[in-house]
Amino acid sequence: MEDIIAGRNQVREALRAGRDLHKILMAERLEGEIIGEILSLARTCGVPVQRVDRNVLDKMVGERHQGVVALAAAKGYVEVEDLLALAQKKGEAPFLIMLDQVTDPHNLGAVLRSAEAAGAHGVIIPRRRAAGLTAAVARTAAGALEYLAVARVANLAQTIVKLKDSGLWAIGAEGDGEKLAFASDLTVPLVLVFGSEGRGLSPLVRKRCDFTIRLPMRGKVNSLNIAAAAAVLMYEVVRQRYCGSL
């Protein structure tokens, strides 16, 4: 479950300590020295701040919040280097998943569950404009968060460049991708990059990918939900790497 941190000093100290915070809820028109420090620390740490009515905070924690409540991640994040180290420890070619501004917690949770089941070495998400590891995500992941490492980064495009420098291929998934997924070599060290619901890959992230792949669509709809598409593509990686010619 999410850890709720209430109170100005408590939230400030959590930010100072580098605690993984999903977001900060702050009462409207709240000002002051400590509030200014919280806002500055939140900007530095990449933690979004949402202004809300005090009644929202009252319902969450009673009247002990002093106008400030922080929601901590349901699980701590790791560094991207930790994901690569895990692949090396297992003696496997890196298999990472990157999510570009996926905002729906149920989609994120479903992707995390599929990633763990498919044996991915970890998932990378952005700090801003995306769902984090909230209680709702943990519930949808149905236990997968206990076994799957998740890294959160400030800049996805720069992270892709670093991964490519480490020998990984960056392969984007799009409805009109350049290559058919089933005709592409997914046995190489790779990071599969999936775009947000509706908008797909952001232009700069798409530009950093080596190429994009697509799934063949035989029906009337022209694309799958991100959670469904991610599951299919992750298991294509499993098929190519571990199932031989079956």
Side-chain angles (χ1 to χ4, degrees), residues 194-206:
F194 297 92
S196 62
E197 306 93 341
R199 295 188 301 274
L201 296 172
S202 57
L204 187 54
V205 167
R206 167 64 185 83

Side-chain angles (χ1 to χ4, degrees), residues 97-172:
I97 306 300
M98 177 180 284
L99 302 177
D100 182 8
Q101 298 181 25
V102 173
T103 57
D104 187 295
H106 296 94
N107 279 339
L108 175 57
V111 171
L112 294 177
R113 186 175 184 180
S114 296
E116 198 286 323
H121 299 113
V123 175
I124 302 169
I125 61 175
R127 285 187 175 273
R128 302 186 66 83
R129 295 185 293 277
L133 298 184
T134 64
V137 170
R139 286 193 297 270
T140 305
L145 271 182
E146 298 299 323
Y147 309 101
L148 182 69
V150 179
R152 189 169 61 162
V153 300
N155 189 299
L156 292 181
Q158 290 179 6
T159 300
I160 290 176
V161 172
K162 292 179 181 178
L163 289 173
K164 290 166 69 172
D165 288 343
S166 297
L168 277 69
W169 286 76
I171 302 175

Side-chain angles (χ1 to χ4, degrees), residues 10-208:
Q10 292 88 334
V11 171
R12 178 178 61 179
E13 292 309 314
L15 286 165
R16 285 176 173 174
R19 180 78 181 272
D20 286 320
L21 300 181
H22 170 53
K23 75 164 83 171
I24 295 172
L25 303 177
M26 184 177 290
E28 295 171 341
R29 295 182 294 278
L30 194 64
E31 298 178 354
E33 183 178 346
I34 294 180
I35 297 303
E37 187 175 354
I38 290 173
L39 292 172
S40 177
L41 287 167
R43 282 193 296 270
T44 300
C45 298
V47 179
V49 177
Q50 180 181 348
R51 293 281 187 169
V52 298
D53 190 277
R54 277 184 174 270
N55 291 333
V56 174
L57 304 179
D58 291 343
K59 291 177 182 178
M60 292 178 65
V61 297
E63 298 181 356
R64 57 185 176 86
H65 50 73
Q66 300 176 309
V68 184
V69 169
L71 303 179
K75 178 186 177 181
Y77 297 97
V78 303
E79 301 297 326
V80 172
E81 290 76 14
D82 296 322
L83 307 183
L84 298 176
L86 178 59
Q88 184 177 30
K89 182 179 179 180
K90 291 185 173 182
E92 299 173 343
F95 171 24
L96 306 182
I97 306 300
M98 177 180 284
L99 302 177
D100 182 8
Q101 298 181 25
V102 173
T103 57
D104 187 295
H106 296 94
N107 279 339
L108 175 57
V111 171
L112 294 177
R113 186 175 184 180
S114 296
E116 198 286 323
H121 299 113
V123 175
I124 302 169
I125 61 175
R127 285 187 175 273
R128 302 186 66 83
R129 295 185 293 277
L133 298 184
T134 64
V137 170
R139 286 193 297 270
T140 305
L145 271 182
E146 298 299 323
Y147 309 101
L148 182 69
V150 179
R152 189 169 61 162
V153 300
N155 189 299
L156 292 181
Q158 290 179 6
T159 300
I160 290 176
V161 172
K162 292 179 181 178
L163 289 173
K164 290 166 69 172
D165 288 343
S166 297
L168 277 69
W169 286 76
I171 302 175
E174 287 190 317
D176 58 351
E178 301 157 330
K179 303 180 180 181
L180 277 173
F182 304 146
S184 302
D185 182 4
L186 303 181
T187 65
V188 298
L190 62 83
V191 53
L192 277 179
V193 188
F194 297 92
S196 62
E197 306 93 341
R199 295 188 301 274
L201 296 172
S202 57
L204 187 54
V205 167
R206 167 64 185 83
K207 184 178 179 180
R208 293 291 183 265

